[in-house]
């Protein structure tokens, strides 16, 4: 990520060592302070700079993408646009999902689609060239004041930037791509540019954001936005089956994980970790089936057509009963004669430094799905998670239970209630917020 003396690491009491003398800030103040910034001001994070970035170009780019992904015809994606792209296996399970941007007529840049996409480029025989990108920074700013901050730091009116679109601006004279996208659910933007310029751009945004209440976000807290925002996310809410999708793909993925090597290990905890299949999802499970276009042949089409007839699961938010959570917490301090339940005192599951915990969701004694991405929601003052459950029970107010704990002898049921999804769906929701409610900048002041 960054050298230990990078200005991005300055002021952080804890750093995460990625090896090779590279570090990133784990936290600056506290989870509560940093996470609430996206509700009352803005936070600036550097977590996504570790994203796998991979370019594809060549005469068969559209043909390749139409075959390996479930989405609509990529010839229709305009230069300057982006698309949430999903790659599935023959079972219809998601192998990768991320963003694909069309930079030029025959040049696309992907985020989080490689190494699976790179494996396809190298093995399927299409006339396509792939290139790993190692010199790009990737910053994200989330919160109701993010637009004002980015207009101030760039000296550019970016009110015209629609959700999921990008354009180029300059920050301190540095060419920077800005993309209206984020994972907290709030108004948010991503910034991309040359890695050599990251300190300059990062510091300029922090300085411009002081009057708007900006906070610097540590890596350990970034992953905790997705549950609130209603964005099911790899390694937080589910895993990919790429390690059991053939030896060729398995070895390629393990050889090309880079900074994300920890994600190439299937280490699951929780009551639902007894079956590895519990960790995998289809587009129907996460409410992304609207992205599937069946008018062409693609990997997984047959399985997805069968699922379409009667999709078994869908995603919901669960609110966890406070008293039951307290009972689990108290069980850890009852003395040596009483076996404690698994620790529940952390901030969340699935963050960079936390284990991946996947728990059984129970109704009338039967397992109806799995829960993951447990989070202390400081804004709503609730313990919440996402869950992929039988559609029959996906009704707001439905009372269920989560079996918390890996060991069946100490696992404890926690009452949960199906809540709204997405959980944060208020005024500044990024997909729907009308930025014209925010005054345009006056650069003549």
């Amino acid at each position: 990520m960054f050298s230990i003396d990078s200005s991005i690491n300055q002021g952080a009491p804890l750093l995460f060592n990625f090896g090779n003398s590279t570090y990133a800030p784990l936290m600056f103040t506290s989870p509560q302070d940093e996470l609430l910034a996206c509700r009352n001001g803005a936070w600036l994070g550097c977590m996504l700079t570790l994203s796998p970035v991979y370019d594809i170009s060549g005469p068969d780019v559209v043909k390749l993408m139409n075959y390996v992904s479930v989405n609509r015809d990529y010839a229709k994606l305009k230069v300057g646009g982006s698309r949430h792209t999903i790659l599935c296996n023959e079972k219809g399970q998601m192998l990768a999902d991320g963003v694909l941007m069309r930079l030029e007529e025959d040049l696309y840049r992907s985020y989080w689609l490689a190494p699976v996409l790179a494996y396809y480029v190298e093995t399927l025989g299409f006339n396509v060239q792939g290139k790993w990108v190692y010199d790009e920074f990737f910053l994200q700013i989330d919160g109701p004041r993010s637009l004002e901050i980015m207009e101030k730091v760039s000296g550019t009116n970016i009110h015209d930037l629609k959700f999921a679109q990008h354009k180029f601006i300059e920050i301190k004279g540095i060419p920077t791509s800005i993309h209206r996208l984020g994972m907290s659910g709030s108004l948010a933007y991503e910034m991309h540019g040359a890695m050599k310029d990251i300190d300059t751009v990062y510091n300029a945004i922090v300085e411009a954001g002081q009057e708007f209440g900006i906070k610097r976000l540590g890596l350990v807290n970034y992953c905790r936005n997705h549950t609130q925002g209603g964005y099911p996310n790899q390694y937080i809410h589910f895993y990919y089956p790429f390690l059991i999708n053939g030896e060729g793909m398995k070895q390629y993925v393990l050889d090309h994980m880079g900074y994300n090597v920890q994600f190439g290990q299937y280490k699951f905890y929780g009551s639902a970790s007894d079956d590895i299949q519990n960790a995998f999802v289809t587009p129907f499970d996460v409410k992304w089936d609207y992205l599937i276009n069946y008018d062409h042949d693609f990997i997984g089409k047959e399985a997805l057509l069968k699922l379409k007839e009667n999709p078994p699961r869908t995603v919901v938010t669960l609110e966890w009963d406070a008293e039951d959570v307290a009972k689990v917490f108290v069980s850890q301090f009852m003395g040596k004669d009483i076996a404690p339940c698994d620790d529940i005192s952390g901030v969340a599951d699935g963050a960079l430094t936390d284990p991946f915990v996947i728990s059984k969701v129970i109704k009338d004694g039967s397992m109806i799905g799995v829960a993951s991405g447990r989070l202390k929601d400081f804004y709503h003052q609730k313990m919440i998670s996402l869950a992929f459950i039988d559609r029959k029970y996906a009704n707001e107010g439905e009372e269920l239970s989560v079996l918390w704990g890996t060991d069946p002898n100490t696992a404890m049921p926690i009452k949960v209630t199906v809540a709204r999804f997405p959980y944060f769906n208020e005024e500044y929701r990024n997909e729907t917020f009308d930025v014209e409610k925010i005054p345009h900048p006056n650069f003549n002041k």
Side-chain angles (χ1 to χ4, degrees):
M1 289 282 284
F2 319 108
S3 65
I4 196 168
D5 58 352
S6 167
S7 60
I8 290 177
N9 286 324
Q10 301 310 302
L14 294 172
L15 302 178
F16 190 89
N17 184 358
F18 284 91
N20 299 319
S21 300
T22 58
Y23 298 82
L26 267 181
M27 193 182 302
F28 289 97
T29 53
S30 70
Q32 184 169 359
D33 185 54
E34 293 179 20
L35 291 169
L36 282 177
C38 69
R39 305 297 176 224
N40 53 38
W43 54 247
L44 178 66
C46 61
M47 165 76 175
L48 291 175
T49 297
L50 62 75
S51 302
V53 184
Y54 186 76
D55 285 353
I56 52 175
S57 60
D60 288 349
V61 166
V62 168
K63 188 182 298 185
L64 169 72
M65 290 307 305
N66 285 348
Y67 177 64
V68 302
S69 80
V70 307
N71 303 72
R72 65 193 292 258
D73 186 1
Y74 279 89
K76 297 178 180 178
L77 179 62
K78 296 179 180 179
V79 174
S82 68
R83 186 173 292 175
H84 181 186
T85 296
I86 298 174
L87 313 183
C88 289
N89 63 13
E90 294 290 0
K91 295 180 179 180
Q93 296 168 324
M94 288 177 8
L95 281 175
D97 79 282
V99 171
L100 188 75
M101 295 184 182
R102 191 170 191 176
L103 303 182
E104 301 173 10
E105 191 65 27
D106 290 321
L107 176 62
Y108 297 74
R109 176 158 293 181
S110 71
Y111 298 88
W112 291 100
L113 297 179
V116 173
L117 179 59
Y119 173 76
Y120 285 145
V121 167
E122 295 188 21
T123 61
L124 290 182
F126 287 90
N127 188 1
V128 175
Q129 293 75 50
K131 178 184 178 183
W132 290 91
V133 178
Y134 299 108
D135 59 352
E136 179 182 286
F137 72 70
F138 189 163
L139 301 175
Q140 193 172 78
I141 185 169
D142 282 44
R145 310 306 297 272
S146 57
L147 173 60
E148 296 161 278
I149 294 170
M150 293 313 301
E151 289 185 328
K152 178 181 177 181
V153 74
S154 66
T156 305
N157 189 327
I158 57 175
H159 271 63
D160 62 328
L161 192 59
K162 305 299 183 184
F163 179 76
Q165 291 185 347
H166 71 274
K167 64 190 293 185
F168 284 91
I169 58 175
E170 286 192 358
I171 298 176
K172 296 290 184 178
I174 296 168
T176 305
S177 170
I178 184 167
H179 187 211
R180 185 173 163 184
L181 201 66
M183 291 297 113
S184 70
S186 185
L187 183 64
Y189 299 87
E190 298 175 350
M191 284 69 67
H192 306 260
M195 190 65 181
K196 63 182 179 60
D197 298 320
I198 187 171
D199 278 28
T200 301
V201 172
Y202 182 89
N203 291 338
I205 297 172
V206 170
E207 181 180 353
Q210 291 305 304
E211 67 174 290
F212 301 101
I214 198 169
K215 299 288 184 179
R216 299 162 72 192
L217 186 78
L219 269 68
V220 74
N221 290 324
Y222 172 77
C223 294
R224 293 163 179 155
N225 288 274
H226 296 70
T227 296
Q228 266 188 341
Y231 298 113
N233 191 262
Q234 64 267 41
Y235 319 126
I236 302 172
H237 301 105
F238 58 85
Y239 260 59
Y240 297 131
F242 44 46
L243 296 187
I244 56 173
N245 202 63
E247 284 301 313
M249 180 177 288
K250 173 183 176 180
Q251 195 55 53
Y252 190 91
V253 168
L254 291 175
D255 289 343
H256 293 83
M257 290 303 288
Y259 288 138
N260 306 295
V261 66
Q262 69 270 25
F263 301 147
Q265 304 173 27
Y266 287 163
K267 293 184 177 179
F268 307 148
Y269 301 89
S271 58
S273 63
D274 56 348
D275 184 351
I276 193 172
Q277 293 295 323
N278 288 334
F280 308 140
V281 295
T282 73
F284 293 95
D285 296 338
V286 293
K287 289 188 177 178
W288 294 342
D289 52 292
Y290 69 93
L291 295 171
I292 305 173
N293 190 320
Y294 296 98
D295 67 357
H296 64 289
D297 290 329
F298 58 86
I299 299 172
K301 179 180 179 179
E302 184 176 342
L304 291 170
L305 279 171
K306 290 181 179 179
L307 285 170
K308 183 182 179 183
E309 296 174 4
N310 186 25
R313 302 193 304 179
T314 191
V315 62
V316 298
T317 308
L318 298 180
E319 289 181 349
W320 293 37
D321 182 79
E323 292 186 1
D324 282 358
V325 170
K327 290 176 184 177
V328 173
F329 182 77
V330 168
S331 77
Q332 301 166 38
F333 308 102
M334 300 298 290
K336 290 185 176 182
D337 294 334
I338 297 178
C341 191
D342 286 3
D343 186 14
I344 201 171
S345 58
V347 175
D349 299 320
L352 189 66
T353 57
D354 295 328
F356 180 75
V357 179
I358 184 166
S359 305
K360 294 179 180 179
V361 180
I362 307 295
K363 178 70 173 183
D364 298 329
S366 298
M367 178 178 171
I368 63 163
V370 296
S372 54
R374 174 186 58 95
L375 168 76
K376 289 180 182 176
D377 183 339
F378 297 110
Y379 182 69
H380 299 99
Q381 297 185 347
K382 296 281 188 177
M383 178 80 83
I384 63 173
S385 71
L386 296 188
F388 312 111
I389 65 172
D390 187 323
R391 289 171 179 257
K392 176 182 177 181
Y393 303 104
N395 312 302
E396 273 193 54
E398 187 82 36
E399 295 181 352
L400 310 170
S401 64
V402 165
L403 186 61
W404 176 260
T406 306
D407 185 346
N409 297 311
T410 57
M412 188 178 296
I414 296 177
K415 291 190 292 291
V416 295
T417 303
V418 175
R420 62 190 177 276
F421 178 89
Y423 201 63
F424 179 82
N425 194 17
E426 297 165 33
E427 182 184 8
Y428 285 91
R429 184 77 196 182
N430 202 2
E431 297 93 327
T432 56
F433 179 67
D434 180 6
V435 296
E436 292 303 319
K437 294 181 179 180
I438 298 175
H440 284 243
N442 182 358
F443 297 120
N444 296 319
K445 285 184 178 180

